[in-house]
Amino acid sequence: MTHPYPDPGQQVFNDHRNLLFSVAYRILGTAVDAEDAVQDAWIKWSAADRSQVAEPKAYLTRIVSNLAMERLRSTRHKRETYVGPWLPEPILTIADTADAVTNAESVSMAMLVVLESLSPLERAVFVLKEVFGFNHAEIAEAVERSEPAVRQAVHRAREHVQARRPRFTVDRSRQSEVTERFLDAATGGDINTLMELLSPDVTLWTDGGGKVRQALRPVVGAQTVAAWFAAIGTVTYQGVDPADMNADLVEINGGPGMVFSGSGRVIATVTFDFDADGRIITIHNVANPDKLRVIAGGRPRDLGTH
């Protein structure tokens, strides 16, 4: 029987491909760039003298981390000159097993937005340490820095994230229930239910990237945000009549979310962040068509950490 991979190195790479994408996506915040980083890692792996590689997982993680940091540095300018708020590229995910809560939190839109404010080095070391459990020595080797420099970067990144990302563990079933009620209320124009589900300080971030008409600044306050969503069932959006608009509940970035589609294309995604009382405190609405291709592809990702 012929082996599916004539090159055993290809089998090893494929065994770790999912992990490499998971690392790159958390460092970069976009699936397209993460895929490119994984592809570049394959090219480097193919050319490497693999007889010298004792630990393929560590070696490949090092390659992809460096490629992702490099790519992040080169895309920074684009993100800084972006039209309106820049949000991460949403992806469909598969509910993981035992470490589902940690995985979901580390890949949530809210967390990726916080990570966006770190330097590329801080972001990479935070992801490798806090999400993937690498020790300081392994990270130092991966990012080609001294161990003390890595410890310092991890400490700075951790403090930064904790200050901007309060830790609430809102029950998954509560999140799903609120998301379902929100969808029903939005499509039914029920402003009172929307107000009940939203925190008074709710903030809506919309990313149209200058390609579609969206709010260029955050929309703040329950009344304004509720009115925005209550209009969904009554206004034509991006040339799609409300009667032709579909809304589906799906898992996006480790939590319940909504995908709006019509006229044969995905139009927007909506995901939520919750406060300590289980009310919606932040809404991320991605409508830039360039960021919806992966969602449109319909293939859920396992963003596990092993």
Side-chain angles (χ1 to χ4, degrees):
M1 184 178 135
T2 57
H3 197 278
Y5 299 110
D7 172 6
Q10 192 174 346
Q11 174 71 61
V12 170
F13 187 86
N14 277 2
D15 289 347
H16 292 98
R17 181 184 281 275
N18 209 54
L19 174 73
L20 300 182
F21 178 83
S22 295
V23 171
Y25 177 70
R26 285 173 172 90
I27 293 175
L28 285 158
T30 72
V32 172
D33 286 328
E35 283 289 9
D36 286 348
V38 171
Q39 199 47 44
D40 290 347
W42 162 247
I43 293 164
K44 281 185 178 279
W45 172 251
S46 303
D49 176 4
R50 296 194 294 264
S51 64
Q52 303 300 306
V53 178
E55 290 283 344
K57 179 184 169 185
Y59 183 87
L60 286 166
T61 305
R62 182 171 82 216
I63 292 176
V64 90
S65 300
N66 277 300
L67 287 166
M69 280 195 296
E70 220 173 276
R71 198 170 274 272
L72 188 56
R73 287 187 193 106
S74 67
T75 59
R76 271 287 150 102
H77 175 66
K78 268 195 244 168
R79 296 184 188 186
E80 283 161 9
T81 55
Y82 195 77
V83 179
W86 187 96
L87 292 178
E89 185 181 356
I91 55 178
L92 300 171
T93 48
I94 300 163
D96 206 73
T97 48
D99 47 4
V101 175
T102 315
N103 277 352
E105 165 63 14
S106 72
V107 82
S108 68
M109 293 292 276
M111 176 60 93
L112 292 175
V113 167
V114 172
L115 294 183
E116 194 56 29
S117 56
L118 297 174
S119 73
L121 176 67
E122 287 168 347
R123 186 165 182 167
V125 299
F126 180 86
V127 165
L128 292 173
K129 180 81 180 77
E130 300 293 302
V131 182
F132 292 91
F134 284 78
N135 64 40
H136 291 108
E138 290 168 328
I139 298 168
E141 201 178 322
V143 299
E144 295 163 3
R145 297 291 198 285
S146 70
E147 211 174 309
V150 163
R151 282 181 189 280
Q152 204 176 2
V154 168
H155 179 71
R156 274 199 314 270
R158 195 184 281 142
E159 282 199 327
H160 180 96
V161 170
Q162 283 168 354
R164 287 161 179 75
R165 183 92 191 102
R167 292 303 304 266
F168 307 125
T169 44
V170 178
D171 182 71
R172 177 65 188 243
S173 58
R174 165 75 179 160
Q175 291 181 27
S176 299
E177 179 213 333
V178 170
T179 305
E180 281 177 40
R181 288 184 64 204
F182 187 95
L183 179 59
D184 289 344
T187 48
D190 180 353
I191 204 158
N192 291 334
T193 300
L194 289 171
M195 290 282 290
E196 190 189 311
L197 299 172
L198 297 169
S199 158
D201 304 323
V202 64
T203 304
L204 162 65
W205 298 86
T206 68
D207 178 343
K211 307 282 174 86
V212 296
R213 202 165 60 79
Q214 288 292 90
L216 294 180
R217 277 184 284 281
V219 179
V220 182
Q223 187 77 52
T224 321
V225 172
W228 171 289
F229 279 98
I232 281 178
T234 59
V235 294
T236 298
Y237 181 70
Q238 290 186 41
V240 179
D241 193 76
D244 301 324
M245 183 86 77
N246 294 316
D248 295 300
L249 289 166
V250 291
E251 181 176 308
I252 299 174
N253 287 72
M258 304 184 296
V259 173
F260 290 89
S261 53
S263 299
R265 68 185 199 274
V266 172
I267 291 163
T269 61
V270 175
T271 51
F272 302 118
D273 200 24
F274 299 87
D275 67 13
D277 301 317
R279 287 178 305 184
I280 296 164
I281 185 71
T282 313
I283 304 174
H284 294 110
N285 169 212
V286 178
N288 179 347
D290 295 346
K291 291 187 179 180
L292 296 172
R293 290 177 192 150
V294 176
I295 290 275
R299 181 165 73 92
R301 294 273 191 173
D302 173 4
L303 287 176
T305 52
H306 300 295

